[in-house]
Amino acid sequence: MRETKVLTRYKAWADDLFLSALSFLPDTELTAPRPIVFGSLIRTLSHAYQMDHVWKCHLLGKPHGLTTRNPQDCPDLAELIVNQRCIDEWYVNYADSLAESELEEVVEFEFIGGGTGQMSRRDILMHVVNHTTYHRGHAAGILYQLGVSPPTTDFPVFLRERDKAT
């Protein structure tokens, strides 16, 4: 299976596992100010989702409507889980739909902070997977500070679970 197909499936699995594990935390812990780049657990995970939306729009050649990487509006955890599952499913289906030649197509875009960029569709998909992994790591660090062990979302664990299911 092509790497983009595997990695988008990995992202969907890891996001779902991680967000589902937060369901037992009280809202006060999710929204409490933390020494983390986006200010709280929920805002950090919301940022990851929002950037998934931005990159989806870049891939589709549509405006994303965001002017900041840290929007003031932040959903509660239940809404974020639904939104994240939906966009992760979109990425899985999108990766499945692309021919190899389409993965190499270059997409031009504007960064939210200003300036233009261009990346292949393959590189955008790789970035989306890596970006979310990066922020799950931030959130996991906060969970450890709260005395909560986050779920194991390592890629080899995903591969093992996937292989057991087949």
Side-chain angles (χ1 to χ4, degrees):
M1 185 181 286
R2 188 173 61 220
E3 77 279 356
T4 52
K5 290 181 178 184
V6 173
L7 289 174
T8 54
R9 283 169 172 74
Y10 160 67
K11 178 185 179 322
W13 171 83
D15 287 347
D16 190 55
L17 188 63
F18 194 89
L19 288 170
S20 295
L22 297 180
S23 296
F24 74 92
L25 285 177
D27 285 345
T28 54
E29 293 292 1
L30 293 169
T31 60
R34 305 277 179 204
I36 190 170
V37 68
F38 294 101
S40 70
L41 276 171
I42 194 72
R43 290 183 69 76
T44 298
L45 297 170
S46 179
H47 160 79
Y49 164 75
Q50 293 289 345
M51 295 308 100
D52 284 355
H53 168 74
V54 167
W55 288 106
K56 174 184 173 181
C57 290
H58 289 331
L59 288 167
L60 296 174
K62 296 180 177 182
H64 50 72
L66 294 177
T67 57
T68 177
R69 295 178 310 122
N70 193 13
Q72 288 301 311
D73 292 337
C74 185
D76 65 16
L77 183 61
E79 182 181 349
L80 181 59
I81 289 171
V82 169
N83 292 345
Q84 191 65 61
R85 285 178 180 158
C86 183
I87 205 161
D88 283 342
E89 181 179 356
W90 183 87
Y91 275 105
V92 167
N93 292 334
Y94 183 77
D96 286 354
S97 75
L98 294 174
E100 190 66 31
S101 61
E102 291 173 302
L103 283 168
E104 300 310 319
E105 290 175 357
V106 173
V107 175
E108 295 182 4
F109 55 88
E110 289 187 32
F111 289 102
I112 290 174
T116 59
Q118 59 181 25
M119 294 169 65
S120 70
R121 292 180 191 283
R122 179 188 314 276
D123 288 343
I124 289 172
L125 291 171
M126 300 294 260
H127 169 67
V128 166
V129 171
N130 285 326
H131 177 259
T132 306
T133 300
Y134 175 71
H135 287 299
R136 274 195 314 269
H138 283 152
I142 296 297
L143 291 178
Y144 283 119
Q145 291 175 14
L146 297 174
V148 175
S149 293
T152 302
T153 58
D154 294 350
F155 185 63
V157 175
F158 162 74
L159 293 175
R160 181 187 68 205
E161 297 301 314
R162 181 197 66 177
D163 291 347
K164 277 198 284 188
T166 57

